[in-house]
Amino acid sequence: MSEETGERAITDTHSTTVHCLSSQDESRRLRYMQKDGRFPVVFQKAPGQWSPYLTDIFTTLVELRWRMVFLFFLLSYILSWLFFGLIYWLIAYVNGDIDGEESRLCVANVRGFTGAFLFSTETQATIGYGFRTMTENCMGAIIVVTIQDLFSCLLDTIIIGIIIAKMASARKRAVTVGFSRCAVINLRNGCLCLAWRLGDLRGNHILEGVVKATVVRYVRKPQGAIVMSYQDLDIPNREIVLATPATVIHRIDPSSPLYGLGPEDLLGNHFEMVVSFTYTGDSTGLLHQTRTSYTPTDIHWGQRFQDVMKLHKGRYKVDYSLFNATVWVPVPLLSAKEFGRRRRPVVASQNPQLSFSLESPSEHNLQENLEDSTEATHQTYF
């Protein structure tokens, strides 16, 4: 297409670029961490090792699924009503209230288990219908009512605390803070850099946050055991104010685990890059964390993220529809190690008709060469 028409060719790189091709066993390879931040790890406990869960029972209940929390909510109240109702019925049975005179009843209008259960429910839920009331005839019944009142206050505190803690969980806030679906490798100031995008979809922004990235590899021993290795990536600006989408940059220097990997080597290397963003929300003041992972097939060589922010009527306008969009940029198909050895490497784009020479090590000149080309810019959406 010509420049006069102002049209751009749109290409889906899921099937056209080498970055998205996976080996045959890639689909069967287990990820260290899922894209949504969950770890596919199952812990096998030794028999009798449940004491830590019982010691920290509050955290154990908070980590339960919502359906289990609702089940615990219902059972805790129903079973407590039944338990104290059974005690009131036993007191009435021992005192002879089943067929006794009304003036000698321990609890007025309670002559059977049904009445005892209703009195237990009214006492613990503070309904107070006034039909069944405690009398002064039995000291034991008075003690049981006092214990039930104290137990009711404690149970309400625990249940409400668990529900509030689950509603304010970091997992819920993390849904609206997300990473880009892919990471990209391009040139910045003459150096190969790995980049990924981070954004907040909510209107109430984050107070402060810290970004961290770790390359995780596992080695399988002959006996079948697996040993995990971790190596942190150096990120110059870890602290981010996420009022607008931010691009996190890692420079691929000699200290980087990606230093000796080129485009072909990247696909043949088995690792996983785990990235996280730990931050404090301005609405609740609570600490949250959002995390995801990138495999070698999620890292796109020779692309950069599309611009998402513009000035509009005196404000910054962010277009989140382009949050995961990337465009081609000229990048040498060499590892950072080999690129550092060659002062004037040949730069090849994914389009075979586009070929560039690094006359200047700056990314600005590379972008100007790309814009001056008469070829169409290939834009990618994921």
Side-chain angles (χ1 to χ4, degrees):
M1 299 181 183
S2 62
E3 285 188 342
E4 289 78 13
T5 60
E7 297 180 351
R8 290 185 176 183
I10 298 180
T11 307
D12 183 4
T13 60
H14 275 88
S15 58
T16 59
T17 65
V18 68
H19 327 296
C20 297
L21 298 178
S22 60
S23 58
Q24 294 181 356
D25 62 340
E26 184 68 25
S27 59
R28 298 190 297 268
R29 181 172 294 275
L30 180 64
R31 298 179 68 108
Y32 176 76
M33 187 178 72
Q34 304 296 336
K35 295 292 288 185
D36 58 0
R38 294 181 299 172
F39 293 92
V41 180
V42 177
F43 295 96
Q44 183 176 357
K45 298 293 183 182
Q49 294 295 322
W50 292 98
S51 57
Y53 292 93
L54 298 178
T55 303
D56 189 11
I57 187 64
F58 181 79
T59 304
T60 302
L61 294 175
V62 170
E63 291 179 350
L64 292 176
R65 296 181 178 271
W66 273 109
R67 56 177 177 266
M68 298 302 297
V69 172
F70 287 132
L71 180 62
F72 173 77
F73 172 83
L74 296 175
L75 291 179
S76 61
Y77 282 102
I78 294 176
L79 292 179
S80 62
W81 295 340
L82 289 172
F83 174 75
F84 285 102
L86 179 61
I87 294 179
Y88 293 132
W89 178 77
L90 290 176
I91 292 175
Y93 180 80
V94 172
N95 192 53
D97 294 347
I98 304 300
D99 299 319
E101 299 179 1
E102 188 68 28
S103 59
R104 296 183 56 185
L105 298 180
C106 293
V107 181
N109 298 305
V110 173
R111 295 180 178 273
F113 179 75
T114 303
F117 175 76
L118 292 175
F119 176 73
S120 174
T121 304
E122 295 168 8
T123 301
Q124 189 166 332
T126 64
I127 297 176
Y129 289 132
F131 182 72
R132 299 173 184 85
T133 58
M134 178 61 60
T135 65
E136 301 177 355
N137 297 330
C138 299
M139 181 56 65
I142 297 175
I143 295 175
V144 173
V145 169
T146 304
I147 295 175
Q148 186 177 10
D149 289 339
L150 296 176
F151 174 79
S152 176
C153 296
L154 178 62
L155 182 61
D156 291 342
T157 302
I158 294 175
I159 295 298
I160 294 174
I162 292 173
I163 293 178
I164 292 178
K166 284 190 69 66
M167 293 180 64
S169 174
R171 303 172 188 173
K172 307 306 177 184
R173 180 64 177 94
V175 174
T176 57
V177 178
F179 292 92
S180 57
R181 298 176 187 172
C182 66
V184 297
I185 292 180
N186 50 43
L187 283 171
R188 291 177 179 269
N189 298 325
C191 298
L192 284 175
C193 295
L194 173 68
W196 61 94
R197 182 171 275 174
L198 176 65
D200 182 14
L201 301 178
R202 294 185 66 91
N204 51 335
H205 300 301
I206 293 170
L207 296 180
E208 58 182 357
V210 179
V211 179
K212 183 179 179 180
T214 304
V215 172
V216 181
R217 289 187 175 93
Y218 72 85
V219 179
R220 188 185 300 272
K221 290 187 175 181
Q223 297 81 4
I226 294 178
V227 177
M228 309 298 298
S229 65
Y230 308 87
Q231 186 174 359
D232 293 337
L233 296 182
D234 181 39
I235 301 175
N237 300 318
R238 291 183 176 272
E239 298 183 358
I240 296 178
V241 178
L242 204 60
T244 58
T247 301
V248 185
I249 306 297
H250 164 66
R251 182 176 177 180
I252 307 178
D253 54 17
S255 63
S256 173
L258 308 178
Y259 184 63
L261 300 181
E264 298 294 338
D265 303 326
L266 190 65
L267 289 178
N269 203 284
H270 301 300
F271 68 90
E272 193 164 337
M273 186 177 69
V274 177
V275 297
S276 64
F277 181 56
T278 305
Y279 51 94
T280 303
D282 61 352
S283 299
T284 60
L286 298 177
L287 194 65
H288 307 278
Q289 185 183 76
T290 300
R291 55 183 180 263
T292 190
S293 68
Y294 299 105
T295 60
T297 55
D298 298 324
I299 301 176
H300 297 178
W301 197 286
Q303 297 183 29
R304 69 171 179 85
F305 288 108
Q306 181 80 353
D307 297 329
V308 296
M309 189 168 60
K310 299 179 181 179
L311 286 175
H312 179 71
K313 297 181 179 180
R315 294 184 179 182
Y316 296 106
K317 182 179 179 180
V318 179
D319 186 2
Y320 269 100
S321 64
L322 301 176
F323 184 76
N324 294 299
T326 61
V327 295
W328 296 116
V329 290
V331 175
L333 300 179
L334 302 171
S335 66
K337 182 178 181 180
E338 185 67 21
F339 178 65
R341 292 178 180 177
R342 304 185 184 184
R343 297 300 181 181
R344 300 172 61 86
V346 177
V347 182
S349 68
Q350 296 299 324
N351 192 325
Q353 298 180 1
L354 289 179
S355 181
F356 300 90
S357 177
L358 289 179
E359 299 293 337
S360 173
S362 65
E363 184 189 18
H364 178 71
N365 292 336
L366 291 174
Q367 298 297 334
E368 289 181 351
N369 292 338
L370 182 62
E371 293 173 357
D372 292 340
S373 176
T374 58
E375 297 295 332
T377 301
H378 294 278
Q379 184 169 338
T380 308
Y381 293 94
F382 299 94

